[in-house]
Amino acid sequence: MALHSFHLKADWPGLRNDVGTIETGNLKTEISIPPEMDGPGIGTNPDEMLLGAAATCYIITLAAMLERSKIEKESLTMESEGLVDVTNGIITYKKIIHRPKLVLKKDASEKDFSMAGKLAEKAESSCMITRAIKGNVEVELEADISKAK
């Protein structure tokens, strides 16, 4: 087993509604509580970061699977949405919805088209972040796969 270690430094100089910083590798940003939770909304927040981690992991995993399967794409873009429930002061991350839009080359075969759909589904369950949050946060996929015109 080969363990990889990632490190993050955090600084939180004040109280609840202040602004802190995080730094890890190529990411350095301010952090605070989002305005939806009565915070200042400066920089990013844990909710956006979890959504970003899940989306980044998914889209990279899908791109790698397409490459390994030799399926050529015209473009791969995605919008993701995180749904957070705030009830009686208790905050629960409920669901992440990924909406990838994959456009295959116009000469893609029906086999490539079918395989791309299967890979879109498989990438969701293969992603390290999706596996890490499984059982706590539902991850849903709404893939849009088409051919270039």
Side-chain angles (χ1 to χ4, degrees), residues 46-105:
D47 309 284
E48 290 175 345
M49 292 188 64
L50 181 60
L51 181 60
T56 302
C57 187
Y58 174 82
I59 203 164
I60 290 171
T61 301
L62 178 54
M65 290 178 158
L66 291 167
E67 181 181 337
R68 278 195 299 275
S69 297
K70 297 184 179 10
I71 297 175
E72 293 186 14
K73 62 180 176 54
E74 195 73 33
S75 66
L76 173 57
T77 58
M78 186 168 74
E79 291 185 14
S80 293
E81 178 180 5
L83 302 174
V84 177
D85 178 46
V86 182
T87 303
N88 299 326
I90 298 171
I91 302 165
T92 307
Y93 216 116
K94 297 302 251 181
K95 182 191 281 192
I96 291 173
I97 305 166
H98 294 311
R99 297 180 179 100
K101 185 174 172 86
L102 172 61
V103 180
L104 300 178
K105 297 280 186 181

Side-chain angles (χ1 to χ4, degrees), residues 12-20 33 40:
W12 193 266
L15 300 174
R16 181 192 186 277
N17 279 337
D18 283 314
V19 178
I33 296 172

Side-chain angles (χ1 to χ4, degrees), residues 57-59 61-63 65-66 69 71 76 78 98-102 104 112-127 130 139-145:
C57 187
Y58 174 82
I59 203 164
T61 301
L62 178 54
M65 290 178 158
L66 291 167
S69 297
I71 297 175
L76 173 57
M78 186 168 74
H98 294 311
R99 297 180 179 100
K101 185 174 172 86
L102 172 61
L104 300 178
D112 287 346
F113 193 81
S114 174
M115 178 59 83
K118 290 176 183 156
L119 293 177
E121 294 283 337
K122 187 175 180 185
E124 187 263 312
S125 60
S126 300
C127 163
T130 301
V139 179
E140 189 176 298
L141 184 67
E142 296 175 5
D144 176 359
I145 302 171

